[in-house]
Amino acid sequence: QLQLQNSGPGLVKPSETLSLTCTVSGGSITSSSYSWGWIRQPPGKGLEWIGTIYYDGGTFYTPSLKSRVTISVDTSKNRFSLTLGSVTAADTAVYYCARHLGYCSNSRCFGDYAMDVWGQGTTVTVSS
Amino acid sequence: EVVLTQSPATLSGSPGERATLSCRASQSLSNNLAWYQQKPGQAPRLLIYGASNRATGIPARFSGSGSGSQFTLTISSLQSDDFAIYYCQHYNNWPLTFGGGTKVEIK
């Protein structure tokens, strides 16, 4: 059974960089039928999609965070990562990783970009 | 960017009652819409994708319908385990967005 495990620091100082990793177990991150995403949820608020990556490195980001976000994949360690730079208190949230039921390759997208498997979430607080 | 508007914000229901949740999109999505359930302190759980396809292991009392810009999640008979927040999410184009959620609470 596929599982996603979030990891990373729970406290980040303002203006610094947030870095999180999601390790995939019970399946391969290079599976051609899926892609991998990050989503966040500020305290007491709704869900916000951050970005998505396919194992070939192709990425999509939400416009409001695009200038500060990088999502990368390490196929040798079966994991993918999120970095968010120049953080402020507004970036305080629970950060989730998830698997998408679809993928995009060579400028074409296939399947459904719903998210069927989620990590447990990491609470990240931005504070000095 | 697609804006998803969910209504009502809060739905009060009793066990055994039928619950109908709505999600309206600012543009046509074809059937590229999913529904999630989230309980306090937990990650969201996929219920429905492709507007009407139940995800693996989801009970038959959950059903999705709609296409274009108007979608509905129906819980045919509320169970105690169903009191939670429900979100819709589109994937018709980039960026992906979520609705603001509907909280289903016990009357």
Side-chain angles (χ1 to χ4, degrees):
Chain A
Q1 181 179 354
L2 190 88
Q3 292 187 326
L4 304 181
Q5 180 71 38
N6 285 71
S7 60
L11 182 64
V12 182
K13 290 182 168 55
S15 79
E16 295 190 345
T17 296
L18 178 163
S19 296
L20 298 173
T21 296
C22 184
T23 301
V24 179
S25 61
S28 175
I29 202 168
T30 60
S31 173
S32 60
S33 301
Y34 305 106
S35 51
W36 309 91
W38 288 98
I39 304 91
R40 71 179 183 179
Q41 186 170 36
K45 296 188 177 180
L47 299 164
E48 178 183 27
W49 171 74
I50 299 171
T52 293
I53 191 165
Y54 190 47
Y55 80 91
D56 66 359
T59 53
F60 296 93
Y61 299 123
T62 195
S64 63
L65 297 175
K66 189 172 183 178
S67 63
R68 299 193 288 131
V69 169
T70 301
I71 297 175
S72 59
V73 63
D74 185 340
T75 56
S76 67
K77 296 183 178 178
N78 220 36
R79 68 187 189 189
F80 60 108
S81 301
L82 168 73
T83 61
L84 178 65
S86 304
V87 298
T88 69
D91 296 310
T92 294
V94 178
Y95 285 76
Y96 296 101
C97 56
R99 183 180 78 170
H100 290 280
L101 289 169
Y103 66 99
C104 292
S105 183
N106 297 323
S107 301
R108 293 187 64 194
C109 294
F110 305 90
D112 297 272
Y113 266 81
M115 292 166 271
D116 71 327
V117 180
W118 292 65
Q120 82 280 14
T122 295
T123 299
V124 178
T125 301
V126 179
S127 176
S128 54
Chain B
E1 164 173 325
V2 175
V3 177
L4 297 176
T5 303
Q6 291 188 240
S7 61
T10 303
L11 188 156
S12 297
S14 300
E17 287 186 344
R18 184 183 188 89
T20 303
L21 287 67
S22 294
C23 178
R24 187 181 75 250
S26 59
Q27 61 184 252
S28 179
L29 305 178
S30 183
N31 66 340
N32 296 313
L33 188 102
W35 290 93
Y36 301 85
Q37 176 194 68
Q38 188 179 34
K39 297 179 181 178
Q42 297 185 16
R45 172 194 183 197
L46 177 65
L47 300 175
I48 301 287
Y49 65 95
S52 61
N53 302 297
R54 270 190 302 275
T56 303
I58 301 304
R61 66 180 181 273
F62 291 94
S63 63
S65 62
S67 66
S69 62
Q70 190 69 45
F71 301 87
T72 300
L73 174 70
T74 301
I75 309 172
S76 61
S77 177
L78 280 169
Q79 306 297 307
S80 57
D81 192 47
D82 300 338
F83 294 98
I85 299 176
Y86 293 82
Y87 294 96
C88 56
Q89 175 236 328
H90 93 87
Y91 47 90
N92 192 60
N93 48 39
W94 305 101
L96 311 182
T97 58
F98 289 88
T102 291
K103 182 178 182 180
V104 177
E105 63 178 23
I106 301 175
K107 185 186 289 183

